[in-house]
Structures are given as C-alpha cells and as structure tokens.
Amino acid sequence: MSDLVLHEHVSGPRGERVLVRRSARRRRTVSITRREGDLVISIPATFSARLEKQWVAKMVDQLVAKEARGTPARRSDTSLLEMAREVSEAYLAGRAQPSSVTWSTRQNQRWGSCTPSDGTIRLSHQLQGMPDYVVRSVMMHELVHLLVPGHGPEFKALMENYPQAEKAQGFLDGVSWAKNLPPEEEGVIGQQGPESTLQRAR
C-alpha cells in the first residue's frame, strides 16, 4: 500500500479516507474502488496536481450521487421533527425542543439554519440522500443553536456530545469542495464491478 497517497480535505460518502494511486500503465482512465474501508482512486501518472484534484473530486462526487440513488425515499418534514426530538433526547438531555423542522430549497450556501425566538429549524434540501449520520449532525448543530448562540466554547462542548460530528463535517467539507471546483473535463462513465466506478479522462 506504499504507492497510495492520502488525498487530504476530501472524504468518501461514509467518511472514508481517499487514497490516490498514480499508475504509469494508465493513459486515459480513472477509477475508484473500495478497499479495506478506504476509497482508492487510480489515475494516470502523467496527471498534473490540478487534474488530480479535479478527478478525485469528480469520482468521489459521482460515488456520492450513485449511493444516494440507493437511499430510502425523501424524509418528510414530520420525520425530520421526529429525528430532531430523538437527537435532542440522546445528546442534549431533551433540552432543545424545536417547534418545527422543515426542508428548505433556499439553503444553498449553508446546510441548516434556525430561529431561536420561534424554535424553527430549516435544513438544506441538498442534504436529502446523504447518510443519516450527516443529516443528524446538521440537526444537532441547529439544535445546539436553539440553546447557545454563536460557536464559542459552550457550543463546541455540546457538539462534542454527538460522536460522529467530526466525521460528518469531513463528509460535508468534501461535498462543498467538490461543488466549488471549476468546470471539469467531460468523461464517459463505465463500471468495474459492483463497487467500482471507472471514467475515461479526455
């Protein structure tokens, strides 16, 4: 595994590490596959650092979309409120009690928001299809804001009660980074086995 290099600032759809392998035998293809809990992306050895970043993001983003298609149907607003109550009971001793939790199509620059004065929470529709632990982490973030303004020591201490907060943040950072890349080269999508995706770089 010594030929694998960790690609920082990007994680897989389940919080996996992303490892990159440069292959002298590859000319135009890029592939992604799961291996021992990590994601391994193989690229041509001739790729520049810029192309590597673009294709790593492209392949991870494609995998996120592929796995999202296999997730359960869209959660309803009612189920979001139930989730909020579960998260509050489990990690905040039930102290945060939102009056409503809804999906919002206006949340394009942030994952969630809340209004402490009326107890409402809004989650970005972009979270739909993401792993449950990620949605719950954003929910936890907004629930804590019902109790604590800002992101000071008290906020951070309460967020630490949610064990997958850091993992979820890594996932969201990866998604955000991929979305903000410049336009990429188009590729033809193919498949290599049930958990591997291949694209041809042009």
Side-chain angles (χ1 to χ4, degrees):
M1 300 285 280
S2 59
D3 59 334
L4 298 176
V5 178
L6 177 65
H7 198 93
E8 298 180 352
H9 311 304
V10 180
S11 60
R14 303 169 194 168
E16 307 94 330
R17 295 189 308 166
V18 175
L19 306 175
V20 176
R21 167 183 286 132
R22 287 179 171 267
S23 172
R25 290 181 294 181
R26 285 182 179 268
R27 293 293 182 267
R28 296 170 64 90
T29 59
V30 179
S31 68
I32 182 170
T33 188
R34 294 188 181 281
R35 179 177 302 175
E36 299 176 1
D38 295 323
L39 295 181
V40 176
I41 298 177
S42 297
I43 64 174
T46 55
F47 269 18
S48 65
R50 176 177 172 274
L51 274 178
E52 176 182 327
K53 288 181 180 179
Q54 288 184 351
W55 278 94
V56 165
K58 178 190 278 286
M59 299 305 283
V60 171
D61 194 44
Q62 178 178 293
L63 187 63
V64 169
K66 174 184 174 183
E67 297 188 344
R69 289 194 292 269
T71 60
R74 176 186 185 274
R75 299 174 180 90
S76 66
D77 289 346
T78 300
S79 69
L80 283 181
L81 184 57
E82 292 173 357
M83 177 190 288
R85 290 170 177 161
E86 290 174 6
V87 172
S88 180
E89 287 292 333
Y91 306 110
L92 296 170
R95 293 170 54 204
Q97 294 293 329
S99 58
S100 69
V101 185
T102 57
W103 293 114
S104 172
T105 57
R106 298 181 180 181
Q107 303 279 90
N108 294 317
Q109 301 301 318
R110 49 186 175 176
W111 300 113
S113 65
C114 72
T115 305
S117 60
D118 62 12
T120 58
I121 290 176
R122 295 158 298 283
L123 298 186
S124 171
H125 69 287
Q126 297 178 87
L127 291 166
Q128 293 171 17
M130 290 190 188
D132 189 70
Y133 77 89
V134 175
V135 180
R136 287 175 180 269
S137 183
V138 175
M139 184 77 76
M140 176 73 173
H141 185 109
E142 301 309 327
L143 287 169
V144 173
H145 274 314
L146 292 182
L147 305 174
V148 180
H151 298 90
E154 186 179 359
F155 175 89
K156 292 177 181 177
L158 289 174
M159 276 304 296
E160 288 176 358
N161 292 334
Y162 184 70
Q164 293 182 293
E166 186 174 346
K167 178 181 176 183
Q169 188 60 53
F171 177 94
L172 293 172
D173 287 347
V175 172
S176 296
W177 187 81
K179 285 173 57 181
N180 291 326
L181 280 179
E184 300 159 344
E185 301 172 57
E186 295 182 356
V188 179
I189 300 173
Q191 298 295 323
Q192 286 189 334
E195 289 198 287
S196 174
T197 302
L198 173 72
Q199 283 199 242
R200 183 173 296 279
R202 294 181 178 179

PDB file of all heavy atoms in Angstrom, residues 36-57:
ATOM      1  N   GLU A  36     -10.576  -2.112   1.959  1.00  0.00           N
ATOM      2  CA  GLU A  36     -10.263  -2.133   3.391  1.00  0.00           C
ATOM      3  C   GLU A  36     -10.757  -0.878   4.102  1.00  0.00           C
ATOM      4  O   GLU A  36     -10.062  -0.296   4.928  1.00  0.00           O
ATOM      5  CB  GLU A  36      -8.752  -2.307   3.598  1.00  0.00           C
ATOM      6  CG  GLU A  36      -8.216  -3.612   3.015  1.00  0.00           C
ATOM      7  CD  GLU A  36      -6.709  -3.723   3.128  1.00  0.00           C
ATOM      8  OE1 GLU A  36      -6.078  -2.795   3.685  1.00  0.00           O
ATOM      9  OE2 GLU A  36      -6.161  -4.732   2.661  1.00  0.00           O
ATOM     10  N   GLY A  37     -11.956  -0.445   3.753  1.00  0.00           N
ATOM     11  CA  GLY A  37     -12.553   0.699   4.419  1.00  0.00           C
ATOM     12  C   GLY A  37     -12.151   2.053   3.857  1.00  0.00           C
ATOM     13  O   GLY A  37     -12.630   3.090   4.324  1.00  0.00           O
ATOM     14  N   ASP A  38     -11.261   2.061   2.856  1.00  0.00           N
ATOM     15  CA  ASP A  38     -10.842   3.306   2.223  1.00  0.00           C
ATOM     16  C   ASP A  38     -11.365   3.362   0.794  1.00  0.00           C
ATOM     17  O   ASP A  38     -11.830   2.356   0.239  1.00  0.00           O
ATOM     18  CB  ASP A  38      -9.313   3.404   2.177  1.00  0.00           C
ATOM     19  CG  ASP A  38      -8.686   3.489   3.554  1.00  0.00           C
ATOM     20  OD1 ASP A  38      -9.279   4.140   4.438  1.00  0.00           O
ATOM     21  OD2 ASP A  38      -7.613   2.892   3.751  1.00  0.00           O
ATOM     22  N   LEU A  39     -11.284   4.540   0.186  1.00  0.00           N
ATOM     23  CA  LEU A  39     -11.557   4.690  -1.237  1.00  0.00           C
ATOM     24  C   LEU A  39     -10.227   4.855  -1.949  1.00  0.00           C
ATOM     25  O   LEU A  39      -9.409   5.691  -1.549  1.00  0.00           O
ATOM     26  CB  LEU A  39     -12.435   5.916  -1.508  1.00  0.00           C
ATOM     27  CG  LEU A  39     -13.852   5.881  -0.945  1.00  0.00           C
ATOM     28  CD1 LEU A  39     -14.593   7.158  -1.332  1.00  0.00           C
ATOM     29  CD2 LEU A  39     -14.615   4.665  -1.442  1.00  0.00           C
ATOM     30  N   VAL A  40      -9.987   4.042  -2.968  1.00  0.00           N
ATOM     31  CA  VAL A  40      -8.740   4.117  -3.726  1.00  0.00           C
ATOM     32  C   VAL A  40      -9.060   4.617  -5.130  1.00  0.00           C
ATOM     33  O   VAL A  40      -9.868   4.022  -5.848  1.00  0.00           O
ATOM     34  CB  VAL A  40      -8.047   2.749  -3.796  1.00  0.00           C
ATOM     35  CG1 VAL A  40      -6.792   2.847  -4.670  1.00  0.00           C
ATOM     36  CG2 VAL A  40      -7.687   2.262  -2.401  1.00  0.00           C
ATOM     37  N   ILE A  41      -8.445   5.727  -5.502  1.00  0.00           N
ATOM     38  CA  ILE A  41      -8.644   6.304  -6.832  1.00  0.00           C
ATOM     39  C   ILE A  41      -7.348   6.143  -7.614  1.00  0.00           C
ATOM     40  O   ILE A  41      -6.294   6.614  -7.179  1.00  0.00           O
ATOM     41  CB  ILE A  41      -9.037   7.788  -6.737  1.00  0.00           C
ATOM     42  CG1 ILE A  41     -10.369   7.925  -5.991  1.00  0.00           C
ATOM     43  CG2 ILE A  41      -9.135   8.408  -8.132  1.00  0.00           C
ATOM     44  CD1 ILE A  41     -10.820   9.354  -5.783  1.00  0.00           C
ATOM     45  N   SER A  42      -7.445   5.475  -8.748  1.00  0.00           N
ATOM     46  CA  SER A  42      -6.270   5.256  -9.596  1.00  0.00           C
ATOM     47  C   SER A  42      -6.324   6.218 -10.772  1.00  0.00           C
ATOM     48  O   SER A  42      -7.350   6.320 -11.464  1.00  0.00           O
ATOM     49  CB  SER A  42      -6.245   3.811 -10.102  1.00  0.00           C
ATOM     50  OG  SER A  42      -6.130   2.910  -9.007  1.00  0.00           O
ATOM     51  N   ILE A  43      -5.224   6.924 -10.996  1.00  0.00           N
ATOM     52  CA  ILE A  43      -5.147   7.916 -12.065  1.00  0.00           C
ATOM     53  C   ILE A  43      -3.872   7.696 -12.872  1.00  0.00           C
ATOM     54  O   ILE A  43      -2.926   7.059 -12.398  1.00  0.00           O
ATOM     55  CB  ILE A  43      -5.153   9.354 -11.498  1.00  0.00           C
ATOM     56  CG1 ILE A  43      -3.903   9.591 -10.644  1.00  0.00           C
ATOM     57  CG2 ILE A  43      -6.421   9.623 -10.707  1.00  0.00           C
ATOM     58  CD1 ILE A  43      -3.738  11.033 -10.155  1.00  0.00           C
ATOM     59  N   PRO A  44      -3.826   8.239 -14.100  1.00  0.00           N
ATOM     60  CA  PRO A  44      -2.582   8.154 -14.878  1.00  0.00           C
ATOM     61  C   PRO A  44      -1.453   8.899 -14.177  1.00  0.00           C
ATOM     62  O   PRO A  44      -1.669   9.965 -13.586  1.00  0.00           O
ATOM     63  CB  PRO A  44      -2.956   8.813 -16.209  1.00  0.00           C
ATOM     64  CG  PRO A  44      -4.447   8.665 -16.314  1.00  0.00           C
ATOM     65  CD  PRO A  44      -4.930   8.806 -14.900  1.00  0.00           C
ATOM     66  N   ALA A  45      -0.251   8.371 -14.261  1.00  0.00           N
ATOM     67  CA  ALA A  45       0.902   9.002 -13.621  1.00  0.00           C
ATOM     68  C   ALA A  45       1.203  10.364 -14.231  1.00  0.00           C
ATOM     69  O   ALA A  45       1.841  11.205 -13.600  1.00  0.00           O
ATOM     70  CB  ALA A  45       2.125   8.090 -13.737  1.00  0.00           C
ATOM     71  N   THR A  46       0.730  10.604 -15.440  1.00  0.00           N
ATOM     72  CA  THR A  46       1.021  11.861 -16.137  1.00  0.00           C
ATOM     73  C   THR A  46       0.120  13.018 -15.693  1.00  0.00           C
ATOM     74  O   THR A  46       0.340  14.157 -16.109  1.00  0.00           O
ATOM     75  CB  THR A  46       0.842  11.676 -17.648  1.00  0.00           C
ATOM     76  OG1 THR A  46      -0.484  11.179 -17.911  1.00  0.00           O
ATOM     77  CG2 THR A  46       1.870  10.687 -18.196  1.00  0.00           C
ATOM     78  N   PHE A  47      -0.870  12.756 -14.848  1.00  0.00           N
ATOM     79  CA  PHE A  47      -1.785  13.817 -14.416  1.00  0.00           C
ATOM     80  C   PHE A  47      -1.046  14.886 -13.620  1.00  0.00           C
ATOM     81  O   PHE A  47      -0.213  14.578 -12.759  1.00  0.00           O
ATOM     82  CB  PHE A  47      -2.890  13.233 -13.540  1.00  0.00           C
ATOM     83  CG  PHE A  47      -4.130  12.814 -14.304  1.00  0.00           C
ATOM     84  CD1 PHE A  47      -4.092  12.613 -15.672  1.00  0.00           C
ATOM     85  CD2 PHE A  47      -5.338  12.625 -13.645  1.00  0.00           C
ATOM     86  CE1 PHE A  47      -5.220  12.219 -16.362  1.00  0.00           C
ATOM     87  CE2 PHE A  47      -6.471  12.238 -14.331  1.00  0.00           C
ATOM     88  CZ  PHE A  47      -6.424  12.049 -15.702  1.00  0.00           C
ATOM     89  N   SER A  48      -1.374  16.144 -13.878  1.00  0.00           N
ATOM     90  CA  SER A  48      -0.841  17.242 -13.079  1.00  0.00           C
ATOM     91  C   SER A  48      -1.554  17.256 -11.732  1.00  0.00           C
ATOM     92  O   SER A  48      -2.567  16.580 -11.548  1.00  0.00           O
ATOM     93  CB  SER A  48      -1.089  18.581 -13.792  1.00  0.00           C
ATOM     94  OG  SER A  48      -2.501  18.828 -13.876  1.00  0.00           O
ATOM     95  N   ALA A  49      -1.038  18.042 -10.788  1.00  0.00           N
ATOM     96  CA  ALA A  49      -1.679  18.144  -9.480  1.00  0.00           C
ATOM     97  C   ALA A  49      -3.093  18.694  -9.624  1.00  0.00           C
ATOM     98  O   ALA A  49      -4.018  18.272  -8.921  1.00  0.00           O
ATOM     99  CB  ALA A  49      -0.847  19.046  -8.566  1.00  0.00           C
ATOM    100  N   ARG A  50      -3.273  19.627 -10.558  1.00  0.00           N
ATOM    101  CA  ARG A  50      -4.590  20.214 -10.782  1.00  0.00           C
ATOM    102  C   ARG A  50      -5.574  19.162 -11.287  1.00  0.00           C
ATOM    103  O   ARG A  50      -6.704  19.074 -10.810  1.00  0.00           O
ATOM    104  CB  ARG A  50      -4.487  21.369 -11.782  1.00  0.00           C
ATOM    105  CG  ARG A  50      -5.823  21.987 -12.161  1.00  0.00           C
ATOM    106  CD  ARG A  50      -5.620  23.177 -13.103  1.00  0.00           C
ATOM    107  NE  ARG A  50      -6.889  23.667 -13.615  1.00  0.00           N
ATOM    108  CZ  ARG A  50      -7.493  23.177 -14.694  1.00  0.00           C
ATOM    109  NH1 ARG A  50      -6.929  22.178 -15.363  1.00  0.00           N
ATOM    110  NH2 ARG A  50      -8.640  23.674 -15.106  1.00  0.00           N
ATOM    111  N   LEU A  51      -5.148  18.358 -12.267  1.00  0.00           N
ATOM    112  CA  LEU A  51      -6.021  17.312 -12.786  1.00  0.00           C
ATOM    113  C   LEU A  51      -6.323  16.273 -11.718  1.00  0.00           C
ATOM    114  O   LEU A  51      -7.439  15.758 -11.629  1.00  0.00           O
ATOM    115  CB  LEU A  51      -5.376  16.634 -14.001  1.00  0.00           C
ATOM    116  CG  LEU A  51      -5.602  17.294 -15.358  1.00  0.00           C
ATOM    117  CD1 LEU A  51      -4.871  16.529 -16.449  1.00  0.00           C
ATOM    118  CD2 LEU A  51      -7.093  17.367 -15.673  1.00  0.00           C
ATOM    119  N   GLU A  52      -5.334  15.974 -10.885  1.00  0.00           N
ATOM    120  CA  GLU A  52      -5.566  15.012  -9.806  1.00  0.00           C
ATOM    121  C   GLU A  52      -6.679  15.511  -8.894  1.00  0.00           C
ATOM    122  O   GLU A  52      -7.613  14.770  -8.576  1.00  0.00           O
ATOM    123  CB  GLU A  52      -4.292  14.796  -8.996  1.00  0.00           C
ATOM    124  CG  GLU A  52      -4.511  13.871  -7.792  1.00  0.00           C
ATOM    125  CD  GLU A  52      -3.253  13.696  -6.955  1.00  0.00           C
ATOM    126  OE1 GLU A  52      -2.148  13.706  -7.526  1.00  0.00           O
ATOM    127  OE2 GLU A  52      -3.390  13.552  -5.720  1.00  0.00           O
ATOM    128  N   LYS A  53      -6.606  16.775  -8.474  1.00  0.00           N
ATOM    129  CA  LYS A  53      -7.630  17.331  -7.591  1.00  0.00           C
ATOM    130  C   LYS A  53      -9.003  17.276  -8.243  1.00  0.00           C
ATOM    131  O   LYS A  53     -10.002  16.913  -7.620  1.00  0.00           O
ATOM    132  CB  LYS A  53      -7.289  18.778  -7.225  1.00  0.00           C
ATOM    133  CG  LYS A  53      -6.120  18.909  -6.267  1.00  0.00           C
ATOM    134  CD  LYS A  53      -5.859  20.383  -5.946  1.00  0.00           C
ATOM    135  CE  LYS A  53      -4.690  20.531  -4.988  1.00  0.00           C
ATOM    136  NZ  LYS A  53      -4.413  21.958  -4.684  1.00  0.00           N
ATOM    137  N   GLN A  54      -9.058  17.643  -9.530  1.00  0.00           N
ATOM    138  CA  GLN A  54     -10.332  17.658 -10.241  1.00  0.00           C
ATOM    139  C   GLN A  54     -10.943  16.261 -10.329  1.00  0.00           C
ATOM    140  O   GLN A  54     -12.134  16.082 -10.074  1.00  0.00           O
ATOM    141  CB  GLN A  54     -10.151  18.234 -11.646  1.00  0.00           C
ATOM    142  CG  GLN A  54      -9.894  19.726 -11.676  1.00  0.00           C
ATOM    143  CD  GLN A  54      -9.808  20.265 -13.096  1.00  0.00           C
ATOM    144  OE1 GLN A  54      -9.779  19.509 -14.062  1.00  0.00           O
ATOM    145  NE2 GLN A  54      -9.748  21.574 -13.221  1.00  0.00           N
ATOM    146  N   TRP A  55     -10.117  15.294 -10.678  1.00  0.00           N
ATOM    147  CA  TRP A  55     -10.649  13.945 -10.882  1.00  0.00           C
ATOM    148  C   TRP A  55     -10.950  13.233  -9.573  1.00  0.00           C
ATOM    149  O   TRP A  55     -11.886  12.431  -9.491  1.00  0.00           O
ATOM    150  CB  TRP A  55      -9.705  13.133 -11.769  1.00  0.00           C
ATOM    151  CG  TRP A  55      -9.959  13.451 -13.205  1.00  0.00           C
ATOM    152  CD1 TRP A  55      -9.315  14.366 -13.981  1.00  0.00           C
ATOM    153  CD2 TRP A  55     -11.003  12.903 -14.021  1.00  0.00           C
ATOM    154  NE1 TRP A  55      -9.872  14.417 -15.226  1.00  0.00           N
ATOM    155  CE2 TRP A  55     -10.912  13.525 -15.293  1.00  0.00           C
ATOM    156  CE3 TRP A  55     -11.977  11.944 -13.811  1.00  0.00           C
ATOM    157  CZ2 TRP A  55     -11.772  13.219 -16.331  1.00  0.00           C
ATOM    158  CZ3 TRP A  55     -12.842  11.633 -14.859  1.00  0.00           C
ATOM    159  CH2 TRP A  55     -12.743  12.262 -16.099  1.00  0.00           C
ATOM    160  N   VAL A  56     -10.193  13.517  -8.527  1.00  0.00           N
ATOM    161  CA  VAL A  56     -10.522  12.944  -7.215  1.00  0.00           C
ATOM    162  C   VAL A  56     -11.901  13.440  -6.789  1.00  0.00           C
ATOM    163  O   VAL A  56     -12.765  12.669  -6.368  1.00  0.00           O
ATOM    164  CB  VAL A  56      -9.457  13.316  -6.161  1.00  0.00           C
ATOM    165  CG1 VAL A  56      -9.969  13.049  -4.744  1.00  0.00           C
ATOM    166  CG2 VAL A  56      -8.184  12.511  -6.399  1.00  0.00           C
ATOM    167  N   ALA A  57     -12.113  14.748  -6.912  1.00  0.00           N
ATOM    168  CA  ALA A  57     -13.406  15.319  -6.535  1.00  0.00           C
ATOM    169  C   ALA A  57     -14.522  14.767  -7.412  1.00  0.00           C
ATOM    170  O   ALA A  57     -15.612  14.451  -6.924  1.00  0.00           O
ATOM    171  CB  ALA A  57     -13.349  16.835  -6.646  1.00  0.00           C
TER     172      ALA A  57
END
